[in-house]
Amino acid sequence: MGLGPKQPQFCLKWPWDIPRNPTKPRGCSFETPWLFKSLQNIGSLASNLLVPALKPPLSHDPSSQPSPLVAGNSKDKVLRSQKKGLSAEEQGEAEQRAFASALASRKEATVIEFYSPKCKLCSSLLKFVLEVEGRNSDWLNIVMADAENEMWLPELLHYDIRYVPCFVLLDKNGSALAKTGIPNSRLHVIAGLSHLLKMKRPQNK
């Protein structure tokens, strides 16, 4: 209930707003598969035409070059190693089979993590999410959903996913109970996920 600046309802980042050397993981950086895609394309075209004319030539100083760790690199490697050689459709089907299997297990809770392979904040959460699922595997399933894959579009609309990473908590019947808020930082996302788990964690845990 603070009086700080109002958070945006969804995150669209124009190409000229992206820092060359990000110092912190940021959330909500994926190419949406619906209406806003054309808007982003227009922004990209405008950037290509205007930015070179407005900015001085880039320095050749090696320190000014982008970091070799691109957004989503570590998590993307893990995901691709698990689904090597799969098309986007096959990957989406594999993720949805995992989702169906999680619901069929009738565990106390299932959490869907909506992510993007391009999202650096999503990448930074991979190890933590795996540890959380491992420690709570007797009552919890965590499944992943690539928000850039159009096969997840019905779920993106149903759960009103407007940013990544976003975690959605479901009960054993598959009914949505809550989801994490706009990801301001890694710690903010971890706190939000911890709050979701407290809602369904068995009393003896």
Side-chain angles (χ1 to χ4, degrees):
M1 301 294 292
L3 298 178
K6 185 177 179 182
Q7 294 291 344
Q9 292 302 308
F10 49 85
C11 185
L12 292 177
K13 294 189 180 295
W14 300 108
W16 53 81
D17 290 334
I18 300 175
R20 299 182 188 282
N21 293 294
T23 57
K24 293 183 179 180
R26 298 286 182 180
C28 191
S29 180
F30 69 93
E31 183 183 359
T32 51
W34 53 91
L35 176 63
F36 301 115
K37 183 180 292 184
S38 60
L39 185 59
Q40 289 176 302
N41 290 338
I42 295 173
S44 178
L45 178 60
S47 173
N48 292 336
L49 294 175
L50 296 178
V51 173
L54 297 176
K55 291 189 175 181
L58 294 176
S59 168
H60 292 290
D61 183 350
S63 64
S64 68
Q65 298 303 313
S67 168
L69 179 61
V70 297
N73 188 47
S74 59
K75 188 169 189 176
D76 196 31
K77 285 183 177 179
V78 174
L79 295 174
R80 290 182 185 279
S81 67
Q82 294 173 345
K83 309 176 181 70
K84 187 175 181 180
L86 297 184
S87 66
E89 182 178 358
E90 290 169 334
Q91 177 178 330
E93 289 175 350
E95 290 179 342
Q96 291 187 339
R97 283 196 299 270
F99 180 37
S101 176
L103 294 179
S105 70
R106 301 286 295 173
K107 289 186 179 180
E108 190 66 25
T110 294
V111 170
I112 312 175
E113 179 192 354
F114 288 94
Y115 73 97
S116 166
K118 301 175 183 177
C119 170
K120 190 171 184 179
L121 178 53
C122 301
S123 302
S124 74
L125 292 167
L126 176 62
K127 183 177 179 181
F128 171 75
V129 170
L130 293 176
E131 289 176 351
V132 167
E133 184 177 26
R135 290 196 305 264
N136 302 281
S137 59
D138 55 329
W139 65 274
L140 173 69
N141 286 312
I142 299 181
V143 297
M144 302 180 68
D146 183 353
E148 292 194 50
N149 193 315
E150 293 184 359
M151 293 189 68
W152 285 105
L153 180 57
E155 287 78 12
L156 291 168
L157 296 175
H158 179 69
Y159 299 123
D160 193 26
I161 305 302
R162 304 190 182 197
Y163 42 79
V164 294
C166 184
F167 295 83
V168 180
L169 175 67
L170 310 178
D171 64 16
K172 65 175 59 178
N173 298 315
S175 299
L177 302 176
K179 66 179 180 180
T180 54
I182 296 176
N184 295 318
S185 67
R186 186 175 186 273
L187 290 178
H188 180 261
V189 176
I190 291 175
L193 177 58
S194 299
H195 178 72
L196 293 186
L197 298 182
K198 287 180 182 179
M199 295 175 62
K200 295 300 292 181
R201 180 178 286 114
Q203 295 298 320
N204 58 347
K205 295 293 178 182

